[in-house]
């Protein structure tokens, strides 16, 4: 039996909840799989037996993630797992950059590619290693710079939103933020308003 634990937008789950879950783990002897996609730069692990993280949420790469454990040595024959070929996501990322810089009008096309590739990923049953391209690109990113820039951007955005009277969903203390979620009414209307001003907010878990 396993419990899937996740943190949100950079902020860790409440300490009291983690302590409670840890006690239940010892009582009922289940495994905790900790998804650190949103929290790896805040803390690489809290109580997970195994941790998984998608790196493309943080870095401009088209694929790739990590699987790790601090409790046991995992002997996984990665050489037997095929490397993923760079997907059309890479093309969409380039189109998006050119569009945001005003150098190409590829707005509809890159959003269409992103949607189609996410749908393919949802249906993917095979396991792949990270592509060689994404693996190479990761070597050029400074984690310290990433963490500082994320915090700096969050502070600026938080202050501006609070001046507008918007309610933030996270305190933002002691974390490296992945995003800046807010509470509001009329979400779709607000997303449309942002899109008209070249700000595109994804719906992370559509129902």
């Amino acid at each position: 039996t396993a419990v899937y634990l996740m943190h949100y937008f950079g902020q860790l789950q409440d300490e009291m909840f983690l302590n409670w879950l840890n006690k239940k783990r010892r009582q009922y002897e289940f495994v905790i799989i900790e998804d650190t996609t949103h929290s790896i730069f805040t803390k690489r692990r809290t109580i997970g037996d195994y941790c998984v993280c998608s790196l493309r949420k943080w870095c401009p790469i088209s694929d790739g993630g990590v699987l790790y454990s601090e409790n046991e040595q995992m002997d996984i024959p990665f050489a037997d797992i095929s490397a993923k070929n760079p997907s059309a996501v890479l093309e969409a990322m380039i189109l998006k950059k050119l569009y945001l810089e005003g150098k190409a009008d590829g707005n509809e096309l890159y959003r269409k590619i992103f949607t189609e590739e996410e749908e393919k990923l949802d249906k993917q049953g095979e396991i792949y290693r990270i592509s060689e391209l994404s693996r190479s690109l990761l070597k050029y990113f400074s984690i310290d710079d990433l963490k500082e820039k994320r915090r700096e951007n969050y502070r600026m955005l938080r202050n501006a939103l609070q001046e507008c009277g918007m309610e933030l969903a996270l305190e933002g203390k002691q974390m490296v933020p992945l995003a800046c979620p807010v509470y509001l009414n009329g979400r779709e209307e607000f997303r449309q308003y942002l899109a008209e001003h070249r700000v595109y907010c994804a719906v992370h878990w559509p129902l």
Side-chain angles (χ1 to χ4, degrees):
T1 303
V3 169
Y4 191 81
L5 169 66
M6 187 173 179
H7 311 282
Y8 295 99
F9 305 114
Q11 185 162 293
L12 301 176
Q13 293 283 1
D14 182 78
E15 192 71 26
M16 290 181 62
F17 168 74
L18 292 175
N19 291 336
W20 174 85
L21 184 59
N22 209 12
K23 291 178 182 177
K24 294 298 181 182
R25 184 244 306 270
R26 291 193 291 266
Q27 180 181 353
Y28 296 106
E29 299 182 343
F30 55 76
V31 170
I32 295 177
I33 300 172
E34 183 172 356
D35 188 334
T36 58
T37 296
H38 286 207
S39 59
I40 191 168
F41 297 122
T42 299
K43 190 171 185 178
R44 57 173 284 139
R45 170 188 175 271
T46 58
I47 61 173
D49 296 292
Y50 302 97
C51 298
V52 293
C53 170
S54 170
L55 297 174
R56 63 194 184 97
K57 300 292 192 300
W58 293 93
C59 302
I61 56 176
S62 61
D63 61 271
V66 290
L67 164 67
Y68 56 99
S69 173
E70 295 185 2
N71 296 334
E72 64 177 88
Q73 184 70 33
M74 292 186 292
D75 186 16
I76 300 174
F78 285 109
D80 298 335
I81 303 174
S82 299
K84 191 171 182 65
N85 293 322
S87 69
V89 170
L90 187 60
E91 299 173 17
M93 291 168 66
I94 295 170
L95 286 171
K96 180 179 180 180
K97 178 176 175 58
L98 292 174
Y99 171 71
L100 293 176
E101 292 178 348
K103 297 177 181 178
D105 187 15
N107 178 33
E108 294 300 325
L109 179 56
Y110 87 71
R111 297 179 72 189
K112 179 175 180 288
I113 294 173
F114 274 135
T115 300
E116 291 175 350
E117 290 301 307
E118 285 298 320
E119 290 175 354
K120 289 180 184 177
L121 192 60
D122 288 341
K123 297 174 182 177
Q124 178 180 299
E126 300 83 9
I127 297 175
Y128 296 96
R129 285 186 288 119
I130 186 173
S131 69
E132 293 304 319
L133 176 60
S134 292
R135 187 183 183 91
S136 298
L137 288 173
L138 285 172
K139 298 176 183 179
Y140 295 96
F141 297 111
S142 165
I143 299 302
D144 289 337
D145 289 348
L146 182 153
K147 291 163 71 171
E148 179 54 36
K149 193 63 180 176
R150 288 272 178 170
R151 287 176 171 140
E152 178 186 339
N153 289 345
Y154 186 86
R155 286 193 296 268
M156 293 174 60
L157 187 55
R158 177 195 61 200
N159 293 340
L161 291 173
Q162 287 177 335
E163 288 180 5
C164 295
M166 299 189 76
E167 182 183 1
L168 274 63
L170 300 178
E171 295 181 6
K173 296 178 180 178
Q174 307 299 320
M175 73 172 188
V176 178
L178 176 67
C180 183
V182 297
Y183 294 113
L184 51 80
N185 296 317
R187 182 186 72 178
E188 293 308 312
E189 292 81 359
F190 188 64
R191 288 181 69 218
Q192 179 61 37
Y193 170 80
L194 291 176
E196 292 169 358
H197 293 79
R198 296 189 174 189
V199 178
Y200 298 98
C201 292
V203 176
H204 288 279
W205 300 280
L207 298 177

